[in-house]
Amino acid sequence: MSFINEYYIWFKAVHYIGFVTWMAGLFYLPRLFVYHSENKDNPAFTSIIKIQERKLYKGIQTPAMALSLITGLCMLVANKDLLAQPYFHVKLSLAVLLLIYHFDTSRYLKQLQNDSCKRSGRFFRLYNEIPTLLFIAIIINFALAGVL
């Protein structure tokens, strides 16, 4: 475990980078879903959007999520005292909600890729607000705990 302790600050930096990248994907993918659902009758457009959606989810969003989880676990192993902090339990709860949202975007991605999604652009506009609210809650939680 000395390796993890020795490189804690680097795990933390990479965790922040992974989290910011993951959030960017969570912000943008549902926006692509809006464009996709509002242009279902334009196969030339949706064929391009399908590529963008798939590449964003599989090439950026999911690896960033994995990086966030792995580095977060490394930080927890290095500093088990975090588990005694109330703010950390809030952070973990919000992270679990982000994970649920992440995998829910996968469900809509599959439906849109197969042209079987019945959701409207309006739905995806509202759906797109969920990660924003979770992000705000995470930042406020950290600010109130004085760990930013």
Side-chain angles (χ1 to χ4, degrees), residues 91-111:
K91 175 192 175 179
L92 287 178
S93 299
L94 294 168
V96 167
L97 292 175
L98 280 176
L99 282 168
I100 291 167
Y101 185 85
H102 173 91
F103 290 111
D104 196 47
T105 63
S106 171
R107 177 173 61 107
Y108 288 118
L109 175 66
K110 290 173 187 170
Q111 290 176 5

Side-chain angles (χ1 to χ4, degrees), residues 30-99:
R31 176 55 47 186
L32 290 176
F33 293 169
V34 170
Y35 302 143
H36 190 149
S37 64
E38 291 181 347
N39 291 281
K40 288 180 183 176
D41 298 334
N42 185 348
F45 182 80
T46 58
S47 67
I48 293 168
I49 288 291
K50 285 180 180 182
I51 294 168
Q52 292 174 336
E53 290 167 343
R54 188 178 63 253
K55 285 185 175 183
L56 177 59
Y57 184 81
K58 292 184 178 184
I60 298 172
Q61 186 175 310
T62 299
M65 180 255 325
L67 187 64
S68 296
L69 291 176
I70 292 166
T71 54
L73 288 172
C74 288
M75 289 171 19
L76 184 57
V77 167
N79 186 3
K80 290 183 180 61
D81 293 338
L82 289 171
L83 289 172
Q85 304 297 321
Y87 85 89
F88 193 74
H89 292 274
V90 174
K91 175 192 175 179
L92 287 178
S93 299
L94 294 168
V96 167
L97 292 175
L98 280 176
L99 282 168

Side-chain angles (χ1 to χ4, degrees), residues 110-143:
K110 290 173 187 170
Q111 290 176 5
L112 288 162
Q113 296 287 309
N114 296 326
D115 300 319
S116 64
C117 186
K118 305 294 184 218
R119 298 293 188 169
S120 67
R122 185 168 192 272
F123 168 81
F124 285 120
R125 278 188 174 80
L126 293 171
Y127 182 75
N128 193 34
E129 298 307 319
I130 295 170
T132 303
L133 295 173
L134 292 170
F135 178 74
I136 291 168
I138 290 168
I139 298 303
I140 290 171
N141 176 54
F142 274 27

